[in-house]
């Protein structure tokens, strides 16, 4: 039985979206099983949403009915704090996530503050655009924040929902891209996505060979790794940046941090402005999520397939 709820009156700052597509992100799976202790049941996951605006609140001027839009991880922020004023709404302490204490996108409708509802460029089709709203911005934002450019050497750890987009964006920024994966079988796909180099991260010899070669390593994996060896792969001033969450605390020796001015960092999604920019870059440079489509009614089947890592690379539910 599908769950039904009555959303009440539309707030003056809100927009309502008729959902056509919603990607399945790893975070949805963590929220379904309440791994982070923040889920509220009955729970509607989903935060990689594309659809059409059906209604806007009385104060909304930026959107119109029938406009094709996207909605990602964040649905609201205070709009008044230092971070909101600086255009870094993703760092707002009062930020609201689309499917945490709100009803998300495995549904036919969703609502959000209109500032977080992003127009989708005409040349992006909805199925391939949906995963960009969380997966895409999650990897795009750190590449932008850390100034990746044609002189950069970028490593991407893990070739999955996030990693396959990170390789494409890093390539668009002109970087030399090295894909790190524990599946040797993914080399061909990694190169097809734009990676110049491939390192089998199961082989410690191969990892040692790339010591001191990377300016920026973006880890997209949810599994523990020997992070010390990735620290060694960094050039001086390099950064190891986490967007995937390994189960154990990250433990590295302080020496490479000190001696080479290296750092460890992370990144939470991106601001509405960066989302617009990222969709525009994807549209102009042909960055595209590889997707497998499931009807919304087959959501449980889709989730099982994602859990088994059988989807290349993003499952998208369609209404
Ligand atoms: Zn997500
Ligand atoms: Zn704020």
């Amino acid at each position: 039985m599908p769950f039904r709820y009555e959303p009440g009156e539309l707030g003056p700052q809100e927009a309502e979206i008729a959902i056509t597509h919603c990607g399945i992100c790893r975070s949805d799976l963590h929220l379904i099983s309440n791994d982070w202790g923040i889920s509220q049941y009955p729970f509607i996951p989903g935060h990689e949403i594309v659809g059409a605006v059906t209604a806007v609140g009385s104060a909304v001027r930026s959107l119109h009915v029938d406009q094709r839009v996207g909605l990602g991880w964040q649905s609201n922020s205070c709009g008044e704090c230092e971070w909101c004023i600086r255009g870094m709404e993703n760092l707002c302490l009062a930020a609201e996530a689309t499917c945490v204490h709100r009803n998300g996108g495995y549904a036919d409708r969703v609502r959000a503050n209109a500032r977080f509802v992003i127009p989708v460029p005409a040349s992006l089709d909805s199925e391939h655009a949906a995963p960009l709203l969380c997966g895409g911005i999650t990897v795009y934002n750190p590449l932008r924040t850390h100034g990746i450019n044609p002189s950069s050497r970028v490593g991407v750890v893990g070739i999955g929902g996030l990693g396959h987009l990170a390789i494409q964006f890093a390539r668009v920024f002109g970087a030399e891209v090295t894909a790190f994966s524990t599946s040797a079988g993914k080399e061909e796909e990694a190169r097809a996505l734009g990676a110049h180099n491939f390192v089998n991260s199961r082989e410690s010899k191969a990892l040692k060979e790339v010591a001191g070669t990377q300016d920026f390593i973006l880890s997209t994996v949810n599994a523990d790794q020997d992070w010390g060896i990735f620290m060694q792969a960094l050039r001086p001033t390099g950064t190891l940046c986490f967007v995937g969450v390994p189960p154990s605390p990250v433990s590295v020796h302080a020496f490479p941090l000190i001696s080479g001015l290296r750092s460890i960092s992370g990144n939470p999604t991106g601001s509405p402005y960066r989302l617009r920019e990222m969709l525009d870059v994807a549209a102009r440079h042909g960055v595209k999520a590889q997707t497998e489509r499931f009807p919304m009614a087959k959501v449980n089947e889709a989730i099982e397939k994602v859990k088994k890592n059988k989807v290349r690379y993003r499952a998208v539910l369609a209404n």
Side-chain angles (χ1 to χ4, degrees), residues 24 29 32 106 299-308:
I24 298 182
L29 306 192
I32 289 168
Y106 296 6
V299 54
N300 290 329
E301 208 173 280
I303 285 171
E304 282 314 306
K305 204 166 172 186
V306 173
K307 274 187 186 163
K308 289 179 188 149

Side-chain angles (χ1 to χ4, degrees), residues 3-301:
F3 171 66
R4 290 183 170 277
Y5 68 96
E6 177 49 58
E9 208 175 310
L10 192 66
Q13 314 282 352
E14 282 188 313
E16 184 171 275
I17 304 167
I19 298 162
T20 58
H21 297 81
C22 185
I24 298 182
C25 173
R26 278 271 154 195
S27 305
D28 291 330
L29 306 192
H30 288 296
L31 289 166
I32 289 168
S33 47
N34 199 18
D35 293 344
W36 301 331
I38 54 172
S39 308
Q40 221 174 28
Y41 303 95
F43 168 57
I44 307 178
H47 57 274
E48 288 186 343
I49 297 162
V50 173
V53 174
T54 53
V56 295
S58 56
V60 177
R61 302 279 175 272
S62 58
L63 299 168
H64 59 81
V65 168
D66 287 338
Q67 188 172 3
R68 194 168 62 121
V69 292
L71 175 66
W73 173 257
Q74 195 175 353
S75 270
N76 204 2
S77 73
C78 82
E80 293 171 349
C81 72
E82 174 188 354
W83 307 105
C84 285
I85 288 168
R86 287 171 67 177
M88 300 161 95
E89 293 91 335
N90 53 320
L91 304 181
C92 175
L93 295 176
E96 290 177 29
T98 298
C99 60
V100 181
H101 306 292
R102 299 179 69 102
N103 294 311
Y106 296 6
D108 55 3
R109 299 284 171 102
V110 71
R111 288 179 177 183
N113 184 310
R115 284 188 295 123
F116 294 86
V117 176
I118 315 293
V120 176
S123 64
L124 291 178
D125 76 82
S126 298
E127 180 181 326
H128 295 121
L132 297 175
L133 273 305
C134 176
I137 191 67
T138 295
V139 298
Y140 179 90
N141 204 32
L143 295 172
R144 280 285 275 114
T145 302
H146 291 271
I148 300 310
N149 66 67
S151 77
S152 311
R153 298 163 179 89
V154 172
V156 175
V157 184
I159 307 165
L162 295 175
H164 91 289
L165 293 169
I167 291 171
Q168 294 180 63
F169 278 122
R171 184 68 195 243
V172 164
F173 289 151
E176 179 173 301
V177 184
T178 300
F180 295 86
S181 173
T182 51
S183 328
K186 283 190 178 168
E187 175 164 0
E188 203 177 311
E189 289 169 65
R191 290 187 187 277
L193 289 163
H196 300 87
N197 314 301
F198 180 88
V199 175
N200 182 342
S201 45
R202 255 191 225 293
E203 294 175 3
S204 53
K205 185 169 161 280
L207 280 172
K208 283 186 182 135
E209 275 169 14
V210 293
T213 62
Q214 305 296 306
D215 294 300
F216 186 74
I217 297 179
L218 188 68
S219 175
T220 71
V221 295
N222 302 301
D224 291 331
Q225 314 271 323
D226 178 354
W227 300 114
I229 221 161
F230 285 100
M231 288 302 294
Q232 282 171 27
L234 290 173
R235 283 155 44 89
T237 77
T239 299
L240 173 59
C241 179
F242 288 89
V243 290
V245 184
S248 308
V250 172
S251 167
V252 299
H253 207 282
F255 194 66
L257 294 170
I258 297 167
S259 64
L261 203 66
R262 295 176 182 88
S263 46
I264 297 178
S265 178
N267 176 77
T269 182
S271 66
Y273 169 72
R274 274 281 165 82
L275 273 159
R276 280 170 193 255
E277 181 191 287
M278 180 271 307
L279 288 180
D280 181 49
V281 168
R284 285 193 286 134
H285 295 273
V287 174
K288 195 168 135 176
Q290 291 185 14
T291 55
E292 184 174 340
R293 180 154 40 114
F294 297 82
M296 190 65 80
K298 295 259 169 76
V299 54
N300 290 329
E301 208 173 280

